[in-house]
Amino acid sequence: MAEEEDDPGFDEDLDDGGNGVDSGQGKRKRLFSKELRCMMYGFGDDQNPYTESVDILEDLVIEFITEMTHKAMSIGRQGRVQVEDIVFLIRKDPRKFARVKDLLTMNEELKKTLKAFDEANYGS
Amino acid sequence: MADPARVKPVVGVSEAPAERPTQSEGSRDAPGSSGKVSEPAAVQSTTREQGKAVSPSRSAEEAAAAGEEEDGSSSLHPPPAKKLKVEHDKKKEKRHKVDEDEIQKMQVLVSSFSEEQLNRYEMYRRAAFPKAAIKRLIQSITGSSVSQNVVIAMSGIAKVFAGEIVEEALDVCEKWGDTPPLQPKHMREAVRRLKSREQVPNTKHKKILFH
């Protein structure tokens, strides 16, 4: 799978890589274009980021998710992806680790609150 | 020239407590984004009550233990087990206080944002990857179904990852004397730097020792 750094000249000119020389994932439909644009603006980029940059970022994110999934499948329970595996893989990166812990804690609290709310309503 | 409105997100730990304040920012980009603004307040008050309920019962326990211990041991002041309990208790209270301080500081900060900064902050909080697409992607790789928590964790991590790249690319852009919007060359240089710091996972290149 060719990475973006291998063919530096081609990314800017050929937008969707219609020819044979594309960056490996050019044929796939863009999954996260809209969300990534908003995200890049939120993280500090211009209000209208370049399409090529958004494409590069999408490829990177998909590669990241793919790698994490493969690693998670190879540890713990083989062939399955579980939350504990992800937390284990992330343990060395403080930012991501803290973020995952917070997200899961918040989700638990939310579920508890909604459950209590529903039960309270059920009586009335 | 750096964008003055660029708000550098505070490191992950402080982000979660800041998501609890009852701002009219609308739905959090957290799981189950049903967007009830009253929920964060309810959640926050329950955890605070729990925290306060725990400490008085703990201190009652400690007083009883102290009464017993003083009859037995004469020389040692607080025995190590009791000291650990007291320390843990103090740490929990300090953590709650730190949470509340953090929340107040965030509120003060956000209230002083300009229009453009508010827009950017709102985008920063709201933008998230669609759960359905992430779930489809993971399932296409594993071949079996995954739980909802996995999707939540993965999309959260992916957002942090995207943020790291964009921040590094903005540093590169500033260093090279360019202006945003970011160009692909900035992104590639950012990835190269992150790779050397091992923040970008790569299992394709096998490092052979003693080659």
Side-chain angles (χ1 to χ4, degrees):
Chain A
M1 208 191 318
E3 285 189 73
E4 312 80 45
E5 300 163 44
D6 291 346
D7 35 278
F10 295 123
D11 262 339
E12 280 103 274
D13 303 338
L14 314 171
D15 194 9
D16 269 335
N19 300 354
V21 265
D22 62 351
S23 52
Q25 302 190 34
K27 294 266 197 283
R28 192 210 310 249
K29 195 165 87 99
R30 293 284 140 188
L31 294 173
F32 305 131
S33 184
K34 272 190 289 196
E35 291 88 5
L36 267 179
R37 269 175 214 280
C38 297
M39 224 180 265
M40 284 178 82
Y41 174 51
F43 284 128
D45 196 5
D46 196 67
Q47 200 156 12
N48 295 319
Y50 286 138
T51 307
E52 294 83 1
S53 308
V54 177
D55 282 350
I56 291 183
L57 195 55
E58 165 161 358
D59 288 342
L60 285 166
V61 167
I62 292 186
E63 187 185 341
F64 175 77
I65 295 181
T66 309
E67 295 273 324
M68 292 296 301
T69 309
H70 278 304
K71 282 194 198 168
M73 282 204 292
S74 64
I75 67 172
R77 218 167 143 205
Q78 310 275 354
R80 300 184 69 109
V81 180
Q82 295 175 311
V83 198
E84 296 82 18
D85 301 337
I86 298 183
V87 175
F88 176 76
L89 290 170
I90 278 298
R91 70 198 186 283
K92 294 281 177 72
D93 189 335
R95 255 174 135 172
K96 299 196 185 90
F97 183 70
R99 182 68 181 154
V100 172
K101 283 281 175 189
D102 286 342
L103 278 174
L104 294 174
T105 317
M106 275 198 291
N107 192 34
E108 292 303 317
E109 285 183 7
L110 242 176
K111 280 203 287 200
K112 245 192 295 176
T113 315
L114 281 173
K115 197 165 160 238
F117 181 70
D118 276 341
E119 279 172 15
N121 265 2
Y122 188 64
S124 67
Chain B
M1 186 168 67
D3 189 344
R6 167 178 159 202
V7 175
K8 220 176 183 138
V10 187
V11 175
V13 180
S14 51
E15 206 179 303
E19 289 195 350
R20 280 194 227 131
T22 56
Q23 302 262 6
S24 55
E25 304 257 31
S27 54
R28 306 172 279 176
D29 61 332
S33 48
S34 40
K36 295 191 202 143
V37 183
S38 55
E39 262 172 31
V43 165
Q44 191 180 352
S45 54
T46 40
T47 45
R48 239 189 284 174
E49 280 168 32
Q50 281 177 15
K52 288 215 184 107
V54 166
S55 19
S57 61
R58 276 253 180 85
S59 41
E61 247 175 60
E62 289 161 22
E68 284 180 19
E69 292 291 353
E70 280 191 22
D71 296 336
S73 62
S74 47
S75 48
L76 297 170
H77 259 307
K82 192 182 120 189
K83 204 191 256 185
L84 280 174
K85 234 193 271 179
V86 175
E87 276 180 23
H88 181 67
D89 187 28
K90 277 196 210 151
K91 227 184 279 187
K92 222 177 183 200
E93 283 187 23
K94 201 166 38 158
R95 216 186 311 148
H96 276 291
K97 210 171 153 279
V98 165
D99 270 356
E100 296 176 20
D101 280 348
E102 198 83 41
I103 296 173
Q104 283 201 346
K105 283 192 214 170
M106 280 301 292
Q107 287 181 328
V108 170
L109 178 63
V110 177
S111 60
S112 60
F113 275 168
S114 72
E115 172 89 30
E116 209 234 312
Q117 287 174 325
L118 268 177
N119 271 341
R120 200 182 282 271
Y121 186 62
E122 181 180 350
M123 276 297 115
Y124 163 66
R125 291 284 287 265
R126 281 194 187 220
F129 291 114
K131 300 235 187 308
I134 299 272
K135 185 162 187 168
R136 215 178 328 136
L137 178 60
I138 300 181
Q139 285 184 341
S140 75
I141 301 174
T142 65
S144 61
S145 64
V146 292
S147 73
Q148 203 191 23
N149 275 352
V150 168
V151 177
I152 291 174
M154 194 64 90
S155 37
I157 301 180
K159 182 174 174 185
V160 176
F161 177 71
E164 284 176 355
I165 296 187
V166 173
E167 281 184 9
E168 188 70 30
L170 282 166
D171 278 345
V172 168
C173 176
E174 194 178 335
K175 190 168 181 199
W176 288 357
D178 297 327
T179 63
L182 293 171
Q183 299 170 28
K185 59 180 178 180
H186 302 135
M187 313 283 290
R188 279 188 224 111
E189 173 67 15
V191 173
R192 192 194 64 85
R193 289 192 192 178
L194 288 178
K195 272 209 171 122
S196 70
R197 279 187 252 152
E198 297 189 354
Q199 276 181 302
V200 172
N202 179 25
T203 52
K204 292 177 206 140
H205 173 71
K206 228 183 217 176
K207 210 181 353 174
I208 304 178
L209 206 54
F210 306 131
H211 177 60

